């Protein structure tokens, strides 16, 4: 009973805030998702990442192990998803990216924070940053046929991760007034991301429900399996283990839909995956947390 209450206390704020965004749109209120997303990705999330890494007390060796485990997990997942898409004859430009990339930002960061505290958030931002780099290079190439490493270098969250890692390694701290300012800006990130997730889901129109359900379940199995094996291979501690599995197991990211819409893939099919996998995660992620805690 106590474990059930603990899991509910962790996941309830996440899905309630997403429900706020969902309800906001359904009531007809304006929500400029492009502006909010740009604000979060350019300012709030980088500040959250930088301050989380700078202030963490985690051994740098543990962060290195998590980074290597994350890269390994995504490489194995990419190979497994590629083999699955090829074997089933699915359209690569439409389905491969959603099978690989999860919602490690909007959903994964808050869940890691609520489940494992500040230490879990510090680990989670590393997984998120690695996923973002893979998305902006290989992910864009999958959908558009071209990719640009230069785009990665222009992403503030990448520089925030690198700077945060340097400050952690050197045990540096910014002046108190600057730290307080950056923390205050970073506190916007999680509620903004969750509300925006609800808004995005509310505006999507799911298509091909049967296929979306099947692919969402298969994606969840592939993600949990590869992350679990990578965490065991690198002998991660309990928190890092849980964060890696939780982050990679998150549902299809709204980013996959935006890329499909921008580059001419089947955006409607991807929208169905986003909606269905997010709904499935409402039940699946609490069960996964119950195992990991």
């Amino acid at each position: 009973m106590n474990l059930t209450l603990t899991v509910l206390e962790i996941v309830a704020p996440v899905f309630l805030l997403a429900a706020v965004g969902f309800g906001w749109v359904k009531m007809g209120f304006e929500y400029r998702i492009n502006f909010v997303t740009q604000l979060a990705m350019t300012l709030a999330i980088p500040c959250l990442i930088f301050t989380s890494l700078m202030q963490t007390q985690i051994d740098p060796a543990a962060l290195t192990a998590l980074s290597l485990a994350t890269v390994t997990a995504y490489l194995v997942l990419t190979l497994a998803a590629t083999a699955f898409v090829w074997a089933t004859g699915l359209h690569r430009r439409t389905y491969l990216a959603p099978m690989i990339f999860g919602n490690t930002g909007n959903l994964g960061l808050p869940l890691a924070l609520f489940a494992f505290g500040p230490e879990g958030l510090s680990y989670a931002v590393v997984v998120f940053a690695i996923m973002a780099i893979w998305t902006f290079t290989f992910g864009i190439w999958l959908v558009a046929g071209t990719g640009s490493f230069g785009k990665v270098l222009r992403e503030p969250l990448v520089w925030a991760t690198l700077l945060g890692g340097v400050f952690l390694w050197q045990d540096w701290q910014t002046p108190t007034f600057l730290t307080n300012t950056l923390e205050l800006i970073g506190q916007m990130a999680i509620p903004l991301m969750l509300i925006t997730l609800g808004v995005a889901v509310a505006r999507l129109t799911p298509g091909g429900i049967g296929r979306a359900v099947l692919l969402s379940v298969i994606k969840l199995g592939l993600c949990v399996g590869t992350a679990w094996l990578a965490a065991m291979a690198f002998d991660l501690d309990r928190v890092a283990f849980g964060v890696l599995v939780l982050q990679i197991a998150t549902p299809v990211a709204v980013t996959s839909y935006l890329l499909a819409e921008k580059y001419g893939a089947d955006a409607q099919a991807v929208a169905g995956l986003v909606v269905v996998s997010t709904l499935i995660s409402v039940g699946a992620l609490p069960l996964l947390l119950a195992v990991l805690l």
Side-chain angles (χ1 to χ4, degrees):
M1 184 64 180
N2 288 336
L3 179 59
T4 302
L5 288 175
T6 300
V7 172
L8 286 176
E9 288 172 354
I10 292 168
V11 300
V14 173
F15 290 111
L16 284 174
L17 273 174
V20 168
F22 188 91
W24 185 272
V25 169
K26 292 303 182 182
M27 288 187 290
F29 297 138
E30 181 184 16
Y31 194 95
R32 299 188 180 183
I33 195 168
N34 290 336
F35 165 74
V36 176
T37 300
Q38 185 175 18
L39 177 66
M41 295 294 290
T42 306
L43 188 61
I45 296 175
C47 288
L48 175 67
I49 289 174
F50 175 75
T51 55
S52 296
L53 287 176
M54 179 180 67
Q55 295 179 321
T56 188
Q57 300 301 314
I58 300 171
D59 182 4
L63 285 179
T64 300
L66 175 66
S67 300
L68 293 174
T70 302
V71 170
T72 301
Y74 272 115
L75 287 177
V76 174
L77 178 59
T78 298
L79 292 174
T82 301
F84 172 76
V85 169
W86 175 81
T88 55
L90 293 170
H91 188 230
R92 178 183 61 82
R93 290 181 56 226
T94 297
Y95 290 101
L96 186 49
M99 293 295 291
I100 298 171
F101 302 111
N103 206 339
T104 57
N106 295 56
L107 196 55
L109 292 181
L111 277 175
L113 174 62
F114 292 135
F116 300 104
E119 181 184 3
L121 179 61
S122 298
Y123 281 133
V125 297
V126 175
V127 180
F128 172 58
I130 291 172
M131 188 279 302
I133 293 172
W134 197 226
T135 299
F136 291 135
T137 51
F138 181 70
I140 291 178
W141 176 82
L142 283 178
V143 182
T146 58
S148 173
F149 192 73
K151 181 174 177 60
V152 176
L153 296 179
R154 293 193 295 270
E155 287 296 326
L157 67 89
V158 174
W159 288 106
T161 304
L162 293 175
L163 282 174
V166 170
F167 272 65
L168 171 64
W169 174 46
Q170 295 292 331
D171 197 23
W172 292 343
Q173 294 287 324
T174 54
T176 302
F177 77 91
L178 182 57
T179 301
N180 291 340
T181 302
L182 294 174
E183 283 186 326
L184 193 59
I185 297 172
Q187 288 171 12
M188 295 191 298
I190 286 177
L192 274 180
M193 287 189 295
L194 289 175
I195 293 172
T196 302
L197 172 63
V199 170
V201 170
R203 290 177 176 173
L204 295 175
T205 304
I209 297 297
R211 173 179 286 186
V213 170
L214 178 60
L215 292 179
S216 297
V217 172
I218 292 172
K219 170 184 168 59
L220 180 63
L222 286 175
C223 290
V224 171
T226 53
W228 203 286
L229 289 174
M232 291 178 62
F234 286 88
D235 195 26
L236 300 183
D237 62 42
R238 184 188 69 86
V239 175
F241 192 115
V243 168
L244 179 63
V245 174
L246 184 65
Q247 280 281 68
I248 294 183
T250 51
V252 180
V254 178
T255 305
S256 295
Y257 166 75
L258 298 176
L259 289 177
E261 185 73 45
K262 181 176 181 178
Y263 293 110
D266 189 347
Q268 187 66 16
V270 179
L273 283 172
V274 173
V275 174
V276 171
S277 64
T278 300
L279 291 175
I280 288 175
S281 73
V282 175
L285 291 182
L287 291 176
L288 184 59
L289 272 172
V291 175
L292 294 171
L293 290 175

